[in-house]
Amino acid sequence: MRNNNPYLPYPVRIKRVEIATEDRSLRTFELEFLHQEDADAFRYLPGQFAELSVPGYGEAPIGIASSPTEGDTLLFTVSKAGLLTSHLHSMSEGDVMGVRGPLGKSYPLQEMEGKNVLILAGGYAVTTLRSTMVWLLHPDNRPKYGDITFVYGARTPGMILYKELLEEWETNSDANIHLTIDNEAPGWDKHVGFVPQIAEKIEPSPQNAMALVCGPPVMIKFTQPVLDKQGWQSDQIIMSLENRMKCGIGICGRCNVGPHYVCKDGPVFSKAELDELPKEY
Amino acid sequence: MQDKILDKSEVDALLERLGSEYDVYAPLRDQQGSVEWAALDSSSDLVWDFSNTGVSPKRFVFPQTECMMRFNNRSDDPEGMIMKQEQGLQRQQALLNIRPCDAKALKALDSIYCRDQTSNDVYWRDKREKTLYVGLACKSPCPTCFCTSVRCGPHYEEGLDILLVDLGERLLVRTLSEKGAELASNLSDAPDEAKQQAAQQKEEAEAAVRSQVGLENIQSRGIMELYEAPMWDREHESCLNCGVCTYVCPTCHCFDIQDETQGEHGRRVRNWDTCMSWLFTYHTSGHNPRGTKKDRFRQRFMHKFKYMPYKFDVIGCVGCGRCTQSCPVNIDVTEVVGEMNEPDLN
């Protein structure tokens, strides 16, 4: 990191802002580094996150939605929720802010090699799984993995993120893409129902496979029994946690789950690991 | 390690030497009669007979509020909104007469603050490296002290550059680092009787630490077994979550980061924070993973006595007893930890 100070954000410029959902609660920001050497230093993998730093407002930990295979700019999809993210939603292309990272551990991409991959995503938790999919489908990486099944649920068609990319995957990739919305909607001809129901319907085999599950707590809660019934073991299920964070490097003391810091030792944990820890997330 | 001798009447010479290179701080008696850390002006102000300061000296390495970086709060300025790192400590500092437990606390926290290359807290490290630790061995431990139970003690040396042992008119000066050796280089070697006197004092001081607590069962127990123990339902009840224990504690090291602006000036600061506050873990969504008083009470003890030993092989406590002394509802750390260590956890 710059000057070896892990708290000092890299200056970045907002290259592009896009209103990502029909309810305007999510915006996708494409950020470009002001200095090429910072872009070179920011080496990340899918599943990692960064602190988005808006001087005067603070920082917020947000999952990186882009894949390192996409070039030097970074993509973040941010929900308008608190002080900082509300201000971020008012910022425009060309504005300067900061990015600090990459932080945390990535998804276990090496451990997943040679295996089938099941991805279950709900709502805007899909961000780091977008990163993962882009990375997995890249020609350099695709041959190392078996079948890829991607299930993604949103409340309505208008709440689905990254639509163009999903269409691209549906038509041009060999991944099994399953999109679902909560209730029937005019013009929608794909799945209808919650992610756990779709997981039940498509019956993904746990044989030589790993599952990445990321979504709101209610999705996790109802997905788990489905995976259990299908014979998935807890060390095959990978999850990503969120907790309130400040430092992002395992020092400031608030995001711990038992002895582990979500920011540094996570955010990615296997369900087997989480089963041994307090549910403080 | 070398033992030197210094007559108390010659402390001035040592201080002069210190003062030329360091800003010197020491526990001094304030107007209210309590002993707290302050800048030392004259050797006559030095206090040799005190238990310990009410507040730990952690602020010299980890200030209660610390500016981390500054920025120009103008988006129309090409240099605006870009964080600039704040300069480090301008002058070295010496903590004179620091108690061995307080020095050990800082040493223990190095394993968190300087855990590895990515978790390298430059602000912490800067001040750690620019600080000289001249310890004063404890003669008469408080009734609340239990340092000998937590891998520490009244003459504990780790984390110090020099350990002073008060022999009445004289001080035994034990050098424990290169910096310490250099400072004491012109002192004469301690005579054997002085060394013996210091050794005897150590034995007596250790024996005077009456409060004891075992940790062996805590170590062997699983995290969830301790976490789910019924004892927390009882022990947390009187706690007010006031956070004074975390304020006075030499090893409590949690912090918050906040931005402050005034006109076009902006800075990012870190402030001491406390796990006793609900806000500490509160998500923007409204969810709180440690939403109850019990959750927060348990976190403080689990963090120090289970999580830190598990993760970093250091106990997050040096047995100074400050939390017990300052707790408004008389929660005694040794009682809670004693419960965690009971053979029959309940």
Side-chain angles (χ1 to χ4, degrees), chain A residues 18 46 106 126 138-139 151 162 206 209 218 225 236 244 246 275 281:
Chain A
E18 182 187 299
S106 71
V126 72
H138 189 273
V151 181
Y162 318 126
V218 64
Q236 291 176 283
R244 188 183 175 101
K246 290 287 175 173
D275 285 346
Y281 44 87

Side-chain angles (χ1 to χ4, degrees), chain B residues 54-56 58 64 242-250 252 272-274 300 322 326:
Chain B
V55 180
S56 90
K58 69 181 171 190
Q64 195 173 353
C242 72
V244 72
C245 49
T246 63
Y247 179 78
V248 296
C249 178
C252 271
W272 290 0
D273 207 343
T274 172
R300 184 158 187 276
R322 284 188 179 94
S326 53

Side-chain angles (χ1 to χ4, degrees), chain A residues 164-182:
Chain A
E164 284 170 27
L165 190 64
L166 292 168
E167 276 169 32
E168 159 81 19
W169 294 343
E170 281 178 316
T171 41
N172 293 331
S173 85
D174 63 352
N176 308 304
I177 309 292
H178 298 275
L179 303 182
T180 183
I181 55 170
D182 290 358

Side-chain angles (χ1 to χ4, degrees), chain A residues 73-95:
Chain A
T73 60
L74 301 174
L75 220 55
F76 295 90
T77 300
V78 182
S79 168
K80 185 176 174 178
L83 184 75
L84 180 138
T85 53
S86 297
H87 180 74
L88 191 57
H89 271 237
S90 76
M91 288 174 72
S92 326
E93 289 166 8
D95 286 349

Side-chain angles (χ1 to χ4, degrees), chain A residues 110-177:
Chain A
Q110 274 195 325
E111 199 187 329
M112 285 154 58
E113 280 184 17
K115 295 177 181 166
N116 299 325
V117 179
L118 169 67
I119 293 178
L120 301 177
Y124 60 84
V126 72
T127 56
T128 58
L129 296 170
R130 174 204 181 277
S131 170
T132 309
M133 279 295 283
V134 172
W135 195 89
L136 290 172
L137 295 175
H138 189 273
D140 288 351
N141 302 317
R142 184 68 192 92
K144 291 183 239 166
Y145 300 89
D147 292 341
I148 295 174
T149 305
F150 179 81
V151 181
Y152 169 33
R155 291 205 301 278
T156 62
M159 290 301 289
I160 292 179
L161 294 171
Y162 318 126
K163 281 197 199 66
E164 284 170 27
L165 190 64
L166 292 168
E167 276 169 32
E168 159 81 19
W169 294 343
E170 281 178 316
T171 41
N172 293 331
S173 85
D174 63 352
N176 308 304
I177 309 292

Side-chain angles (χ1 to χ4, degrees), chain B residues 216-257:
Chain B
E216 65 287 350
N217 295 329
I218 298 176
Q219 198 181 350
S220 60
R221 285 189 170 119
I223 287 163
M224 288 313 286
E225 188 190 352
L226 276 167
Y227 184 87
E228 287 169 342
M231 59 162 281
W232 301 113
D233 289 324
R234 294 190 305 275
E235 294 294 328
H236 88 275
E237 274 200 331
S238 57
C239 178
L240 308 171
N241 270 186
C242 72
V244 72
C245 49
T246 63
Y247 179 78
V248 296
C249 178
T251 61
C252 271
H253 59 277
C254 294
F255 60 83
D256 187 19
I257 300 177

Side-chain angles (χ1 to χ4, degrees), chain A:
Chain A
M1 289 207 193
R2 218 148 51 95
N3 300 337
N4 295 319
N5 182 349
Y7 296 102
L8 197 63
Y10 297 119
V12 293
R13 188 180 289 110
I14 300 175
K15 189 178 176 190
R16 187 172 60 86
V17 191
E18 182 187 299
I19 296 167
T21 50
E22 64 183 0
D23 72 347
R24 309 173 74 85
S25 67
L26 291 155
R27 283 181 192 228
T28 296
F29 297 85
E30 186 178 356
L31 305 178
E32 61 181 346
F33 290 91
L34 257 48
H35 310 294
Q36 184 56 41
E37 65 266 28
D38 294 347
D40 296 339
F42 196 99
R43 298 171 70 89
Y44 69 103
L45 284 171
Q48 289 191 285
F49 69 98
E51 288 277 0
L52 296 190
S53 168
V54 182
Y57 293 84
E59 296 183 315
I62 309 285
I64 307 171
S66 52
S67 158
T69 54
E70 292 176 290
D72 282 344
T73 60
L74 301 174
L75 220 55
F76 295 90
T77 300
V78 182
S79 168
K80 185 176 174 178
L83 184 75
L84 180 138
T85 53
S86 297
H87 180 74
L88 191 57
H89 271 237
S90 76
M91 288 174 72
S92 326
E93 289 166 8
D95 286 349
V96 170
M97 52 179 281
V99 164
R100 191 156 68 79
L103 303 169
K105 284 195 317 200
S106 71
Y107 287 114
L109 299 160
Q110 274 195 325
E111 199 187 329
M112 285 154 58
E113 280 184 17
K115 295 177 181 166
N116 299 325
V117 179
L118 169 67
I119 293 178
L120 301 177
Y124 60 84
V126 72
T127 56
T128 58
L129 296 170
R130 174 204 181 277
S131 170
T132 309
M133 279 295 283
V134 172
W135 195 89
L136 290 172
L137 295 175
H138 189 273
D140 288 351
N141 302 317
R142 184 68 192 92
K144 291 183 239 166
Y145 300 89
D147 292 341
I148 295 174
T149 305
F150 179 81
V151 181
Y152 169 33
R155 291 205 301 278
T156 62
M159 290 301 289
I160 292 179
L161 294 171
Y162 318 126
K163 281 197 199 66
E164 284 170 27
L165 190 64
L166 292 168
E167 276 169 32
E168 159 81 19
W169 294 343
E170 281 178 316
T171 41
N172 293 331
S173 85
D174 63 352
N176 308 304
I177 309 292
H178 298 275
L179 303 182
T180 183
I181 55 170
D182 290 358
N183 299 299
E184 298 275 359
W188 182 259
D189 57 359
K190 293 165 191 164
H191 295 286
V192 174
F194 300 119
V195 168
Q197 296 168 309
I198 308 308
E200 197 157 17
K201 194 158 84 181
I202 63 172
E203 277 198 88
S205 164
Q207 202 63 42
N208 188 35
M210 286 186 81
L212 310 183
V213 184
C214 204
V218 64
M219 181 198 111
I220 307 282
K221 187 178 163 190
F222 290 103
T223 302
Q224 195 53 49
V226 174
L227 295 178
D228 288 343
K229 211 169 102 188
Q230 292 169 350
W232 291 80
Q233 300 300 305
S234 56
D235 59 354
Q236 291 176 283
I237 301 170
I238 308 297
M239 301 164 96
S240 184
L241 301 188
E242 288 189 313
N243 255 353
R244 188 183 175 101
M245 292 173 189
K246 290 287 175 173
C247 74
I249 52 175
I251 299 177
C252 82
R254 75 198 59 234
C255 72
N256 70 298
V257 172
H260 305 299
Y261 287 108
V262 171
C263 67
K264 181 164 176 84
D265 307 307
V268 173
F269 293 94
S270 73
K271 185 171 176 292
E273 291 172 293
L274 295 178
D275 285 346
E276 308 287 317
L277 296 172
K279 302 269 172 291
E280 290 191 344
Y281 44 87

